[in-house]
Amino acid sequence: MIYELRLKEELRRKIEDILSRESREKALNDHHSRRKPRPCGFTIHTGIGCSLQCTYCYIGDMGFSWSIREYPLNGVELVYALLNNPYFVPGENGSLIAIGSVTEPFHGVTRTRTLEYIESISKYLGNPIQFSTKMYLTRKDALFLRKTDPGISPLITIVTIKYAERLEPYAPPPSKRFKTIKNLREAGLKPILFLRPIIPGLIEDEYIELIDQAVDHGAHGLVAGSLRITRSIIERFKSKRLPVREILERAPCIPKGREQVSIDTGDLKREIARYAMRKGLLFFPEACMANLYTHGRICWKMIKLGLRVLGDKPPVLNKNEVFKIGQYLGLTVDRIRDRGSYVDIWVKPVDRVNTTLFSELVKCRFKKCVRIHK
Ligand code: SF4
């Protein structure tokens, strides 16, 4: 048996023994037991909906509410849901965990749940955890996080100073978030400035100030990401007299209904990256790299990009092992092409569940992105 899957089965049995039947059923019926990994890892929801109502946020268009409630699973139930997820790989070299999508994990309503999930994942699974937040984290919070997962990857979202009141009316002001960076750094963590979304028309005048302040407060690095728009986001920008011309000029099309359209900000991202690196920050083109970095690990893409960070060098792709993983999962691996930062693998049959697990196993074991072909 593949050792990652043996570990998963052992852990699953262990957790099964400490949960009631009702709790087990609750976990098995939960979406975390079925969710596929995203490029940033497994997204964990510690709440449902979000009351911060950021003007650029698309969760309303995804059907989530602008009010927030705590996620119904407790920490151990969440762990059990993940151990029953067919795609999840447990362990410190396992699937990456990302907390903070579609809700604010440190909102007053969700923060206890978030801390509980971080504790349970660290205690039972050991997977690398990352979170993103706009809330203020005190020194005490930072010390607790450090004690629970010394490698935890904190992404502190700050996308504007000047327009914060119009863009993030219910979030703590950027000054408090810079203070969060300071508190995390002083507790021995590696806080990262999360500049997502990059808003064209606004960011050009602000990124220098954002990066300078992040450096002054102790940020280790920067992750930047693009804006996605929907019709309602554009309407909200207009109603708050925020400029939309630059956004629309970069949009490949005008979104219809609840459709999300990505705005091309590649040039701005490069400009931001250049300045961040000049100021001594590490620039991570993808959030998952920051998660690996704070946990002392490196992937092949980071090496290819010349990201000079300390960490365990990833193992060289062993094709025999890849063939064996495929065979164990009932897949025939026809061809493997190691492209350096990623690997192309041709498999048959393309069974959705096993192929996704196969891809996740190869990615976790060799720290290399995987592209599956028929
Ligand atoms: S904090 Fe995040 S989830 Fe909440 S409204 Fe703002 S962007 Fe959306």
Side-chain angles (χ1 to χ4, degrees), residues 32 37-46 78-79 82-83 88-92 94-101 114 117-118 121-122 125-132 149 152-153 155 287-288 290-292 294-295 360 364:
H32 289 94
R38 313 255 323 138
C40 59
F42 275 79
T43 51
I44 302 290
H45 298 171
T46 63
L78 174 89
V79 165
L82 289 173
L83 289 168
F88 181 73
V89 179
E92 55 181 27
S95 304
L96 301 178
I97 300 276
I99 297 177
S101 68
T114 300
Y117 283 9
I118 291 172
I121 293 168
S122 299
L125 302 172
N127 290 58
I129 305 172
Q130 179 172 71
F131 67 84
S132 58
D149 175 1
I152 198 162
S153 175
L155 300 181
C288 49
N291 195 356
L292 286 176
T294 58
H295 287 90
E360 187 70 5
C364 291

Side-chain angles (χ1 to χ4, degrees), residues 294-308:
T294 58
H295 287 90
R297 294 193 170 69
I298 304 172
C299 71
W300 285 104
K301 200 165 176 183
M302 289 159 81
I303 293 175
K304 191 86 180 166
L305 289 170
L307 254 166
R308 291 179 209 291

Side-chain angles (χ1 to χ4, degrees), residues 50 52-54 56-57 59 66 102-104 134:
C50 188
L52 295 192
Q53 298 183 38
C54 304
Y56 49 73
C57 183
I59 68 161
W66 291 120
V102 307
T103 193
E104 167 46 66
K134 295 187 181 91

